[in-house]
Amino acid sequence: MTPFSIGAQDNSVDFGSKLVSAERALAAIRPGSRIYIGTGCAAPRTLLARLEAMESGPADLEFVSFLTTSALPQVAGSSLTRYRHRVFFVGSEVRGLAASGQLDYVPISLEEIPRLLTSGRLPIDVALLQVSPPDARGFVSLGVSVDLAPAILKVARTVIAEVNPAMPRTYGESMVHLNRFDALVMVDMPVAQYVHPNIGEVAERVARYIASIIDDGSTLQIGLGRVPNEALRHLRDRRDLGIHSDVITDGVVDLVEAGVVSGRCKTRHRDRIVASYCVGTRRLYDFVDDNPGIQLLPIDQVCDPEEVARQARMVSITQAFAIDLTGQVCVDQFEGEFYGGVSTQAGFIRGAARSPGGKPIICLSSTTDEGASRIKPLLEAGDGVGIARSDVHYVITEYGIAYVFGKSIRERALALIEVAHPRWREMLLSSAKKLGYVRSDQYLASQAAYPVHEERIVSLKNNLKIMIRPARAGDAGALQALFHRLSSDDIYTRFFRRVRSLTYRELQTLCNVNHETEVAFLAVTGPRENEEVVGSACYFLNPTTNLAEVAFMIAPEFQGAGLGTALQVCLQEYAMSRGVRGFVFEILSRNTNMLRLAARAQGTITTLRDEEVVHVTALFPDSRSPLPNSQDAQASQLAA
Amino acid sequence: MQSREPRQINEFKVIDDQGNEYALVENQNVVETRSLKWLAAGPSWFGLADGTPVDKIDDQTFRMATNDTVLHRRTG
């Protein structure tokens, strides 16, 4: 045991006098006590093991904890405890205790727990913690887990800690003076480590989608979920990210070392990583040790929705068990079993939603390991709602990204069905019709994943950047808004008739496409959650000729800005990659803008004039075979 | 291409010499392309909203086939 002495600045506490054996420290615990256990990797494992091993230990103890990792004695892979456990999060270590009636789960947002404690509604008799050795002034560090400890230290009648030289000394509100402790027990053992299991291909695809919507300068909250942590691996090309998270993991170290996390753009705690606890490997613990760039703060400070909202571009990522078609999210009870917890998700989601440029993200794989859909018509008995439908913004699966905030039930249902597993989409659509969520004539043309890789940013002549992306069934409303911005002449030259409004069926024709023989792209401005459609381009393949009929709509203020050309390039690349032979344009002869656009198509252009309509055929460069019908010669002659 | 169908392709106001106003519709057999364009498939024909057939004299002038009432396209 290493002797410690208090420095000259504070000799009022004799560290040595507080050092006792585990048995003697634990003797202070009375039967019937409620005992708080330090969080996660800072759980006092030695004290717990001794307590459990006592032949005639105190009776009727109740342990209170947020999250335990490698804290309870294990027998044949299962946790074995003589006592009851009141937990705020049902982790894998305590989950099995439910069957024996030893587990009490308290659904509560973690940031509310300090108030619960200080109000006296959950009295704590004893706190068992693990801390670093004291410094010269008599301050130990709470190490990798600050989270609930400051609140506990205010209310616990007796405080006992393991002092472990392996525990890193962390900054923030981590320092506690020795005089707050009633007994200290020296231990010298590695701090518990946690390695995220490797995730499969599906989760990796979810992670890639998540990463795709995280912008440079964003501040991240990642939680403990495997998918959010995998998403970190796909952010290596971002710049100036920040971290404001309940927990940090090894993935954060990777991003710091890669120069991706600088905290430079944070609007609170600039240049600092803020978290409440760490879960990871020794590499993470070495990273946070004596590192003033990492601030570990109490959970109620870090996770307060108002504090979260003060960070600009705050991105919160929550992994869910299931979601229904209205957007209700199941995070702590799935198929009757409590697992996980409310944790900090509700607070971070609300905070990120109010953050300027913030993005609250719910992620989940589209199916369970057994293949059942995690996107359900209705949550079932035994599925608990942890996040209200009104708080949900982004929902990401391996089939794409749905944005549902502010959307109607019909729009949500459609958007969520489009990111469900194709095997379940028909069932979901059928159920949505029965529930009255969508129209009875609603269909979904595409059974494939939304082709997110086809999204592209283009610069127009006016230097404005716009996104061109594949259309979805849920774009009908935005397409209708574009239609109503067109002049009556634009509408006539697009549809060759006077049209007051497009029917729902017609709108669906232009956006609810199969992305194979029917293809539609939209040009959109604004952030993903507040897009405005300013252009539409679509093609419809004639399988007999392998030629596709093309049509465009461009918002008036974007006409002449090069948007039509950009959309045409996009359509043509897509078509050529699928072996389409060429495009057919039907253009009113007075529509000179469209005639010019058609003339810019790559390949061999032929035209055929028929009274008011010019039929333009563009055969793509690698498919210059003759047209397969009798009009070929005539078309060529007219073109000549 | 889909099959040709008669569709109303235009509607505008006309007035007779007594100042009575009528809604005149223009119909035509069209083929709707998959992109929802209506391609003309033959000449158009005119009629009043109640089905009375109307002959076109020129772009501005029409005549009711039943009683020879002359109708003028309303401008403005």
mmCIF file of all heavy atoms in Angstrom, chain A residues 84-129:
data_model
loop_
_atom_site.group_PDB
_atom_site.id
_atom_site.type_symbol
_atom_site.label_atom_id
_atom_site.label_comp_id
_atom_site.label_asym_id
_atom_site.label_seq_id
_atom_site.Cartn_x
_atom_site.Cartn_y
_atom_site.Cartn_z
ATOM 1 N N ARG A 84 -31.335 -6.696 -3.055
ATOM 2 C CA ARG A 84 -32.189 -6.087 -4.076
ATOM 3 C C ARG A 84 -31.443 -4.920 -4.727
ATOM 4 O O ARG A 84 -30.614 -4.261 -4.095
ATOM 5 C CB ARG A 84 -33.490 -5.577 -3.446
ATOM 6 C CG ARG A 84 -34.461 -6.694 -3.098
ATOM 7 C CD ARG A 84 -35.734 -6.156 -2.484
ATOM 8 N NE ARG A 84 -35.472 -5.471 -1.220
ATOM 9 C CZ ARG A 84 -35.664 -4.172 -1.014
ATOM 10 N NH1 ARG A 84 -36.133 -3.415 -1.973
ATOM 11 N NH2 ARG A 84 -35.402 -3.637 0.159
ATOM 12 N N HIS A 85 -31.771 -4.685 -5.996
ATOM 13 C CA HIS A 85 -31.120 -3.607 -6.740
ATOM 14 C C HIS A 85 -32.172 -2.683 -7.331
ATOM 15 O O HIS A 85 -33.042 -3.122 -8.080
ATOM 16 C CB HIS A 85 -30.233 -4.176 -7.860
ATOM 17 C CG HIS A 85 -28.979 -4.793 -7.335
ATOM 18 N ND1 HIS A 85 -27.744 -4.206 -7.467
ATOM 19 C CD2 HIS A 85 -28.772 -5.944 -6.621
ATOM 20 C CE1 HIS A 85 -26.826 -4.960 -6.885
ATOM 21 N NE2 HIS A 85 -27.423 -6.031 -6.365
ATOM 22 N N ARG A 86 -32.087 -1.430 -6.972
ATOM 23 C CA ARG A 86 -32.969 -0.399 -7.549
ATOM 24 C C ARG A 86 -32.121 0.334 -8.590
ATOM 25 O O ARG A 86 -31.098 0.957 -8.228
ATOM 26 C CB ARG A 86 -33.423 0.561 -6.445
ATOM 27 C CG ARG A 86 -34.308 1.711 -6.923
ATOM 28 C CD ARG A 86 -34.694 2.598 -5.751
ATOM 29 N NE ARG A 86 -35.618 1.920 -4.853
ATOM 30 C CZ ARG A 86 -36.940 2.044 -4.898
ATOM 31 N NH1 ARG A 86 -37.496 2.853 -5.771
ATOM 32 N NH2 ARG A 86 -37.702 1.380 -4.063
ATOM 33 N N VAL A 87 -32.514 0.242 -9.849
ATOM 34 C CA VAL A 87 -31.653 0.765 -10.914
ATOM 35 C C VAL A 87 -32.404 1.777 -11.771
ATOM 36 O O VAL A 87 -33.621 1.718 -11.912
ATOM 37 C CB VAL A 87 -31.125 -0.385 -11.815
ATOM 38 C CG1 VAL A 87 -30.313 -1.389 -10.999
ATOM 39 C CG2 VAL A 87 -32.263 -1.092 -12.538
ATOM 40 N N PHE A 88 -31.623 2.683 -12.325
ATOM 41 C CA PHE A 88 -32.183 3.670 -13.255
ATOM 42 C C PHE A 88 -31.958 3.251 -14.708
ATOM 43 O O PHE A 88 -32.362 3.958 -15.630
ATOM 44 C CB PHE A 88 -31.533 5.042 -13.010
ATOM 45 C CG PHE A 88 -31.648 5.497 -11.588
ATOM 46 C CD1 PHE A 88 -30.509 5.756 -10.827
ATOM 47 C CD2 PHE A 88 -32.890 5.653 -10.993
ATOM 48 C CE1 PHE A 88 -30.616 6.162 -9.508
ATOM 49 C CE2 PHE A 88 -33.004 6.060 -9.669
ATOM 50 C CZ PHE A 88 -31.866 6.316 -8.928
ATOM 51 N N PHE A 89 -31.295 2.134 -14.875
ATOM 52 C CA PHE A 89 -30.981 1.640 -16.215
ATOM 53 C C PHE A 89 -30.793 0.125 -16.081
ATOM 54 O O PHE A 89 -30.019 -0.330 -15.242
ATOM 55 C CB PHE A 89 -29.682 2.292 -16.720
ATOM 56 C CG PHE A 89 -29.354 2.007 -18.159
ATOM 57 C CD1 PHE A 89 -29.754 2.884 -19.166
ATOM 58 C CD2 PHE A 89 -28.636 0.872 -18.516
ATOM 59 C CE1 PHE A 89 -29.447 2.622 -20.492
ATOM 60 C CE2 PHE A 89 -28.318 0.610 -19.839
ATOM 61 C CZ PHE A 89 -28.725 1.497 -20.834
ATOM 62 N N VAL A 90 -31.518 -0.614 -16.898
ATOM 63 C CA VAL A 90 -31.423 -2.077 -16.807
ATOM 64 C C VAL A 90 -30.353 -2.545 -17.794
ATOM 65 O O VAL A 90 -30.625 -2.798 -18.963
ATOM 66 C CB VAL A 90 -32.780 -2.743 -17.115
ATOM 67 C CG1 VAL A 90 -32.676 -4.259 -16.898
ATOM 68 C CG2 VAL A 90 -33.882 -2.156 -16.246
ATOM 69 N N GLY A 91 -29.131 -2.613 -17.296
ATOM 70 C CA GLY A 91 -28.033 -3.089 -18.132
ATOM 71 C C GLY A 91 -27.979 -4.600 -18.127
ATOM 72 O O GLY A 91 -28.708 -5.273 -17.384
ATOM 73 N N SER A 92 -27.082 -5.127 -18.937
ATOM 74 C CA SER A 92 -27.017 -6.579 -19.083
ATOM 75 C C SER A 92 -26.635 -7.251 -17.763
ATOM 76 O O SER A 92 -27.011 -8.390 -17.496
ATOM 77 C CB SER A 92 -26.020 -6.954 -20.176
ATOM 78 O OG SER A 92 -24.776 -6.345 -19.917
ATOM 79 N N GLU A 93 -25.914 -6.511 -16.908
ATOM 80 C CA GLU A 93 -25.446 -7.125 -15.670
ATOM 81 C C GLU A 93 -26.571 -7.377 -14.664
ATOM 82 O O GLU A 93 -26.498 -8.307 -13.861
ATOM 83 C CB GLU A 93 -24.370 -6.243 -15.023
ATOM 84 C CG GLU A 93 -23.628 -6.948 -13.926
ATOM 85 C CD GLU A 93 -22.396 -6.184 -13.490
ATOM 86 O OE1 GLU A 93 -22.483 -4.952 -13.306
ATOM 87 O OE2 GLU A 93 -21.342 -6.816 -13.344
ATOM 88 N N VAL A 94 -27.593 -6.546 -14.685
ATOM 89 C CA VAL A 94 -28.664 -6.701 -13.689
ATOM 90 C C VAL A 94 -29.956 -7.253 -14.291
ATOM 91 O O VAL A 94 -30.897 -7.575 -13.563
ATOM 92 C CB VAL A 94 -28.979 -5.348 -12.992
ATOM 93 C CG1 VAL A 94 -27.786 -4.890 -12.184
ATOM 94 C CG2 VAL A 94 -29.403 -4.290 -14.004
ATOM 95 N N ARG A 95 -29.988 -7.362 -15.602
ATOM 96 C CA ARG A 95 -31.231 -7.750 -16.270
ATOM 97 C C ARG A 95 -31.780 -9.081 -15.743
ATOM 98 O O ARG A 95 -32.982 -9.249 -15.553
ATOM 99 C CB ARG A 95 -30.928 -7.859 -17.768
ATOM 100 C CG ARG A 95 -32.121 -7.953 -18.650
ATOM 101 C CD ARG A 95 -31.615 -7.997 -20.078
ATOM 102 N NE ARG A 95 -32.658 -8.267 -21.013
ATOM 103 C CZ ARG A 95 -32.429 -8.583 -22.278
ATOM 104 N NH1 ARG A 95 -31.192 -8.641 -22.723
ATOM 105 N NH2 ARG A 95 -33.420 -8.818 -23.096
ATOM 106 N N GLY A 96 -30.862 -10.006 -15.495
ATOM 107 C CA GLY A 96 -31.293 -11.330 -15.055
ATOM 108 C C GLY A 96 -31.882 -11.342 -13.659
ATOM 109 O O GLY A 96 -32.502 -12.329 -13.250
ATOM 110 N N LEU A 97 -31.708 -10.260 -12.899
ATOM 111 C CA LEU A 97 -32.219 -10.242 -11.525
ATOM 112 C C LEU A 97 -33.730 -10.063 -11.476
ATOM 113 O O LEU A 97 -34.352 -10.269 -10.428
ATOM 114 C CB LEU A 97 -31.550 -9.103 -10.733
ATOM 115 C CG LEU A 97 -30.015 -9.155 -10.635
ATOM 116 C CD1 LEU A 97 -29.503 -7.959 -9.836
ATOM 117 C CD2 LEU A 97 -29.578 -10.459 -9.985
ATOM 118 N N ALA A 98 -34.323 -9.670 -12.603
ATOM 119 C CA ALA A 98 -35.771 -9.433 -12.622
ATOM 120 C C ALA A 98 -36.513 -10.717 -12.274
ATOM 121 O O ALA A 98 -37.520 -10.702 -11.546
ATOM 122 C CB ALA A 98 -36.200 -8.912 -13.989
ATOM 123 N N ALA A 99 -35.998 -11.831 -12.784
ATOM 124 C CA ALA A 99 -36.702 -13.111 -12.596
ATOM 125 C C ALA A 99 -36.794 -13.486 -11.122
ATOM 126 O O ALA A 99 -37.781 -14.093 -10.687
ATOM 127 C CB ALA A 99 -35.979 -14.201 -13.376
ATOM 128 N N SER A 100 -35.782 -13.111 -10.338
ATOM 129 C CA SER A 100 -35.787 -13.483 -8.922
ATOM 130 C C SER A 100 -36.416 -12.401 -8.047
ATOM 131 O O SER A 100 -36.376 -12.499 -6.820
ATOM 132 C CB SER A 100 -34.345 -13.750 -8.463
ATOM 133 O OG SER A 100 -33.548 -12.596 -8.671
ATOM 134 N N GLY A 101 -36.967 -11.383 -8.673
ATOM 135 C CA GLY A 101 -37.618 -10.333 -7.902
ATOM 136 C C GLY A 101 -36.651 -9.411 -7.194
ATOM 137 O O GLY A 101 -37.034 -8.643 -6.318
ATOM 138 N N GLN A 102 -35.383 -9.458 -7.598
ATOM 139 C CA GLN A 102 -34.379 -8.622 -6.917
ATOM 140 C C GLN A 102 -34.141 -7.300 -7.643
ATOM 141 O O GLN A 102 -33.297 -6.519 -7.220
ATOM 142 C CB GLN A 102 -33.054 -9.386 -6.828
ATOM 143 C CG GLN A 102 -33.079 -10.564 -5.875
ATOM 144 C CD GLN A 102 -31.790 -11.352 -5.979
ATOM 145 O OE1 GLN A 102 -31.568 -12.079 -6.943
ATOM 146 N NE2 GLN A 102 -30.934 -11.205 -4.984
ATOM 147 N N LEU A 103 -34.869 -7.082 -8.717
ATOM 148 C CA LEU A 103 -34.610 -5.888 -9.527
ATOM 149 C C LEU A 103 -35.803 -4.951 -9.479
ATOM 150 O O LEU A 103 -36.936 -5.358 -9.730
ATOM 151 C CB LEU A 103 -34.337 -6.295 -10.978
ATOM 152 C CG LEU A 103 -33.922 -5.162 -11.910
ATOM 153 C CD1 LEU A 103 -32.518 -4.673 -11.561
ATOM 154 C CD2 LEU A 103 -33.969 -5.609 -13.363
ATOM 155 N N ASP A 104 -35.537 -3.703 -9.176
ATOM 156 C CA ASP A 104 -36.548 -2.656 -9.270
ATOM 157 C C ASP A 104 -36.034 -1.612 -10.251
ATOM 158 O O ASP A 104 -35.029 -0.942 -9.986
ATOM 159 C CB ASP A 104 -36.767 -1.986 -7.905
ATOM 160 C CG ASP A 104 -37.684 -2.800 -7.017
ATOM 161 O OD1 ASP A 104 -38.675 -3.355 -7.549
ATOM 162 O OD2 ASP A 104 -37.402 -2.892 -5.812
ATOM 163 N N TYR A 105 -36.735 -1.477 -11.363
ATOM 164 C CA TYR A 105 -36.335 -0.483 -12.359
ATOM 165 C C TYR A 105 -37.108 0.806 -12.115
ATOM 166 O O TYR A 105 -38.333 0.786 -11.964
ATOM 167 C CB TYR A 105 -36.605 -1.016 -13.769
ATOM 168 C CG TYR A 105 -36.580 0.039 -14.847
ATOM 169 C CD1 TYR A 105 -35.459 0.862 -15.028
ATOM 170 C CD2 TYR A 105 -37.663 0.225 -15.706
ATOM 171 C CE1 TYR A 105 -35.434 1.829 -16.009
ATOM 172 C CE2 TYR A 105 -37.641 1.186 -16.698
ATOM 173 C CZ TYR A 105 -36.524 1.993 -16.843
ATOM 174 O OH TYR A 105 -36.504 2.966 -17.820
ATOM 175 N N VAL A 106 -36.388 1.924 -12.079
ATOM 176 C CA VAL A 106 -37.017 3.237 -11.898
ATOM 177 C C VAL A 106 -36.913 3.995 -13.223
ATOM 178 O O VAL A 106 -35.822 4.442 -13.593
ATOM 179 C CB VAL A 106 -36.297 4.059 -10.800
ATOM 180 C CG1 VAL A 106 -36.988 5.406 -10.611
ATOM 181 C CG2 VAL A 106 -36.242 3.283 -9.497
ATOM 182 N N PRO A 107 -38.010 4.125 -13.955
ATOM 183 C CA PRO A 107 -37.930 4.901 -15.197
ATOM 184 C C PRO A 107 -37.863 6.389 -14.873
ATOM 185 O O PRO A 107 -38.804 6.959 -14.335
ATOM 186 C CB PRO A 107 -39.231 4.535 -15.933
ATOM 187 C CG PRO A 107 -40.158 4.029 -14.897
ATOM 188 C CD PRO A 107 -39.349 3.576 -13.720
ATOM 189 N N ILE A 108 -36.741 6.994 -15.188
ATOM 190 C CA ILE A 108 -36.556 8.414 -14.866
ATOM 191 C C ILE A 108 -35.451 8.970 -15.758
ATOM 192 O O ILE A 108 -34.482 8.261 -16.077
ATOM 193 C CB ILE A 108 -36.188 8.585 -13.364
ATOM 194 C CG1 ILE A 108 -36.142 10.064 -12.969
ATOM 195 C CG2 ILE A 108 -34.872 7.892 -13.032
ATOM 196 C CD1 ILE A 108 -36.018 10.295 -11.457
ATOM 197 N N SER A 109 -35.603 10.203 -16.158
ATOM 198 C CA SER A 109 -34.512 10.867 -16.870
ATOM 199 C C SER A 109 -33.389 11.127 -15.874
ATOM 200 O O SER A 109 -33.633 11.642 -14.775
ATOM 201 C CB SER A 109 -34.989 12.189 -17.463
ATOM 202 O OG SER A 109 -35.866 11.954 -18.534
ATOM 203 N N LEU A 110 -32.173 10.800 -16.257
ATOM 204 C CA LEU A 110 -31.065 10.872 -15.290
ATOM 205 C C LEU A 110 -30.878 12.268 -14.718
ATOM 206 O O LEU A 110 -30.505 12.428 -13.553
ATOM 207 C CB LEU A 110 -29.762 10.415 -15.960
ATOM 208 C CG LEU A 110 -29.642 8.923 -16.260
ATOM 209 C CD1 LEU A 110 -28.250 8.611 -16.766
ATOM 210 C CD2 LEU A 110 -29.955 8.095 -15.035
ATOM 211 N N GLU A 111 -31.148 13.285 -15.543
ATOM 212 C CA GLU A 111 -30.923 14.644 -15.045
ATOM 213 C C GLU A 111 -31.907 15.007 -13.930
ATOM 214 O O GLU A 111 -31.743 16.017 -13.247
ATOM 215 C CB GLU A 111 -30.982 15.664 -16.181
ATOM 216 C CG GLU A 111 -32.334 15.840 -16.841
ATOM 217 C CD GLU A 111 -32.542 14.915 -18.027
ATOM 218 O OE1 GLU A 111 -31.811 13.900 -18.135
ATOM 219 O OE2 GLU A 111 -33.442 15.204 -18.833
ATOM 220 N N GLU A 112 -32.949 14.195 -13.748
ATOM 221 C CA GLU A 112 -33.922 14.449 -12.680
ATOM 222 C C GLU A 112 -33.507 13.790 -11.361
ATOM 223 O O GLU A 112 -34.078 14.086 -10.314
ATOM 224 C CB GLU A 112 -35.291 13.895 -13.087
ATOM 225 C CG GLU A 112 -35.879 14.503 -14.353
ATOM 226 C CD GLU A 112 -36.257 15.961 -14.167
ATOM 227 O OE1 GLU A 112 -36.435 16.390 -13.013
ATOM 228 O OE2 GLU A 112 -36.338 16.677 -15.186
ATOM 229 N N ILE A 113 -32.540 12.908 -11.414
ATOM 230 C CA ILE A 113 -32.218 12.126 -10.214
ATOM 231 C C ILE A 113 -31.636 12.999 -9.089
ATOM 232 O O ILE A 113 -32.028 12.834 -7.921
ATOM 233 C CB ILE A 113 -31.281 10.954 -10.561
ATOM 234 C CG1 ILE A 113 -32.037 9.977 -11.469
ATOM 235 C CG2 ILE A 113 -30.816 10.233 -9.300
ATOM 236 C CD1 ILE A 113 -31.196 8.847 -12.004
ATOM 237 N N PRO A 114 -30.734 13.936 -9.400
ATOM 238 C CA PRO A 114 -30.254 14.780 -8.296
ATOM 239 C C PRO A 114 -31.394 15.464 -7.544
ATOM 240 O O PRO A 114 -31.371 15.569 -6.309
ATOM 241 C CB PRO A 114 -29.352 15.798 -9.012
ATOM 242 C CG PRO A 114 -28.819 15.018 -10.177
ATOM 243 C CD PRO A 114 -29.988 14.204 -10.643
ATOM 244 N N ARG A 115 -32.425 15.884 -8.276
ATOM 245 C CA ARG A 115 -33.566 16.515 -7.607
ATOM 246 C C ARG A 115 -34.325 15.493 -6.765
ATOM 247 O O ARG A 115 -34.810 15.792 -5.685
ATOM 248 C CB ARG A 115 -34.484 17.147 -8.657
ATOM 249 C CG ARG A 115 -35.340 18.248 -8.082
ATOM 250 C CD ARG A 115 -36.048 19.119 -9.097
ATOM 251 N NE ARG A 115 -36.104 18.642 -10.452
ATOM 252 C CZ ARG A 115 -35.657 19.329 -11.490
ATOM 253 N NH1 ARG A 115 -35.085 20.490 -11.302
ATOM 254 N NH2 ARG A 115 -35.784 18.860 -12.702
ATOM 255 N N LEU A 116 -34.429 14.286 -7.291
ATOM 256 C CA LEU A 116 -35.082 13.210 -6.534
ATOM 257 C C LEU A 116 -34.339 12.965 -5.225
ATOM 258 O O LEU A 116 -34.938 12.772 -4.164
ATOM 259 C CB LEU A 116 -35.101 11.931 -7.382
ATOM 260 C CG LEU A 116 -35.730 10.694 -6.768
ATOM 261 C CD1 LEU A 116 -37.254 10.816 -6.773
ATOM 262 C CD2 LEU A 116 -35.313 9.429 -7.527
ATOM 263 N N LEU A 117 -33.019 13.014 -5.299
ATOM 264 C CA LEU A 117 -32.203 12.742 -4.114
ATOM 265 C C LEU A 117 -32.294 13.883 -3.108
ATOM 266 O O LEU A 117 -32.528 13.655 -1.912
ATOM 267 C CB LEU A 117 -30.746 12.528 -4.533
ATOM 268 C CG LEU A 117 -30.473 11.287 -5.385
ATOM 269 C CD1 LEU A 117 -29.072 11.354 -5.984
ATOM 270 C CD2 LEU A 117 -30.634 10.020 -4.547
ATOM 271 N N THR A 118 -32.115 15.091 -3.586
ATOM 272 C CA THR A 118 -32.079 16.220 -2.650
ATOM 273 C C THR A 118 -33.455 16.517 -2.064
ATOM 274 O O THR A 118 -33.557 17.131 -1.008
ATOM 275 C CB THR A 118 -31.509 17.482 -3.330
ATOM 276 O OG1 THR A 118 -32.267 17.729 -4.515
ATOM 277 C CG2 THR A 118 -30.054 17.316 -3.683
ATOM 278 N N SER A 119 -34.496 16.051 -2.750
ATOM 279 C CA SER A 119 -35.848 16.264 -2.207
ATOM 280 C C SER A 119 -36.122 15.323 -1.040
ATOM 281 O O SER A 119 -37.136 15.471 -0.351
ATOM 282 C CB SER A 119 -36.885 16.020 -3.302
ATOM 283 O OG SER A 119 -36.934 14.634 -3.620
ATOM 284 N N GLY A 120 -35.260 14.339 -0.869
ATOM 285 C CA GLY A 120 -35.466 13.389 0.220
ATOM 286 C C GLY A 120 -36.385 12.243 -0.141
ATOM 287 O O GLY A 120 -36.713 11.401 0.697
ATOM 288 N N ARG A 121 -36.849 12.196 -1.415
ATOM 289 C CA ARG A 121 -37.774 11.130 -1.793
ATOM 290 C C ARG A 121 -37.062 9.803 -2.030
ATOM 291 O O ARG A 121 -37.685 8.769 -2.134
ATOM 292 C CB ARG A 121 -38.563 11.540 -3.046
ATOM 293 C CG ARG A 121 -39.762 12.406 -2.699
ATOM 294 C CD ARG A 121 -40.422 12.955 -3.937
ATOM 295 N NE ARG A 121 -39.702 14.126 -4.413
ATOM 296 C CZ ARG A 121 -40.049 14.827 -5.471
ATOM 297 N NH1 ARG A 121 -41.080 14.465 -6.188
ATOM 298 N NH2 ARG A 121 -39.349 15.889 -5.828
ATOM 299 N N LEU A 122 -35.746 9.863 -2.136
ATOM 300 C CA LEU A 122 -34.977 8.615 -2.244
ATOM 301 C C LEU A 122 -33.762 8.751 -1.316
ATOM 302 O O LEU A 122 -32.650 9.049 -1.750
ATOM 303 C CB LEU A 122 -34.531 8.382 -3.694
ATOM 304 C CG LEU A 122 -33.796 7.058 -3.933
ATOM 305 C CD1 LEU A 122 -34.744 5.877 -3.714
ATOM 306 C CD2 LEU A 122 -33.227 7.006 -5.340
ATOM 307 N N PRO A 123 -33.979 8.551 -0.031
ATOM 308 C CA PRO A 123 -32.862 8.721 0.921
ATOM 309 C C PRO A 123 -31.760 7.700 0.642
ATOM 310 O O PRO A 123 -32.035 6.550 0.312
ATOM 311 C CB PRO A 123 -33.509 8.453 2.284
ATOM 312 C CG PRO A 123 -34.982 8.479 2.053
ATOM 313 C CD PRO A 123 -35.209 8.119 0.636
ATOM 314 N N ILE A 124 -30.531 8.149 0.761
ATOM 315 C CA ILE A 124 -29.374 7.270 0.572
ATOM 316 C C ILE A 124 -28.629 7.199 1.900
ATOM 317 O O ILE A 124 -28.222 8.220 2.449
ATOM 318 C CB ILE A 124 -28.432 7.816 -0.526
ATOM 319 C CG1 ILE A 124 -29.169 7.913 -1.864
ATOM 320 C CG2 ILE A 124 -27.175 6.945 -0.640
ATOM 321 C CD1 ILE A 124 -29.565 6.586 -2.480
ATOM 322 N N ASP A 125 -28.463 5.975 2.397
ATOM 323 C CA ASP A 125 -27.756 5.814 3.670
ATOM 324 C C ASP A 125 -26.249 5.780 3.459
ATOM 325 O O ASP A 125 -25.492 6.400 4.196
ATOM 326 C CB ASP A 125 -28.211 4.515 4.352
ATOM 327 C CG ASP A 125 -29.707 4.535 4.629
ATOM 328 O OD1 ASP A 125 -30.154 5.478 5.315
ATOM 329 O OD2 ASP A 125 -30.417 3.640 4.140
ATOM 330 N N VAL A 126 -25.825 5.015 2.477
ATOM 331 C CA VAL A 126 -24.385 4.807 2.271
ATOM 332 C C VAL A 126 -24.066 4.974 0.786
ATOM 333 O O VAL A 126 -24.821 4.502 -0.065
ATOM 334 C CB VAL A 126 -23.965 3.386 2.720
ATOM 335 C CG1 VAL A 126 -22.469 3.170 2.496
ATOM 336 C CG2 VAL A 126 -24.338 3.150 4.176
ATOM 337 N N ALA A 127 -22.951 5.636 0.501
ATOM 338 C CA ALA A 127 -22.453 5.691 -0.874
ATOM 339 C C ALA A 127 -21.161 4.902 -0.944
ATOM 340 O O ALA A 127 -20.273 5.081 -0.102
ATOM 341 C CB ALA A 127 -22.201 7.132 -1.293
ATOM 342 N N LEU A 128 -21.087 3.993 -1.928
ATOM 343 C CA LEU A 128 -19.854 3.238 -2.176
ATOM 344 C C LEU A 128 -19.303 3.682 -3.525
ATOM 345 O O LEU A 128 -19.961 3.503 -4.553
ATOM 346 C CB LEU A 128 -20.142 1.730 -2.204
ATOM 347 C CG LEU A 128 -20.683 1.094 -0.925
ATOM 348 C CD1 LEU A 128 -20.877 -0.414 -1.129
ATOM 349 C CD2 LEU A 128 -19.756 1.352 0.260
ATOM 350 N N LEU A 129 -18.108 4.266 -3.509
ATOM 351 C CA LEU A 129 -17.534 4.824 -4.729
ATOM 352 C C LEU A 129 -16.145 4.252 -4.957
ATOM 353 O O LEU A 129 -15.585 3.572 -4.102
ATOM 354 C CB LEU A 129 -17.435 6.359 -4.613
ATOM 355 C CG LEU A 129 -18.721 7.112 -4.265
ATOM 356 C CD1 LEU A 129 -18.411 8.596 -4.034
ATOM 357 C CD2 LEU A 129 -19.755 6.955 -5.373
#
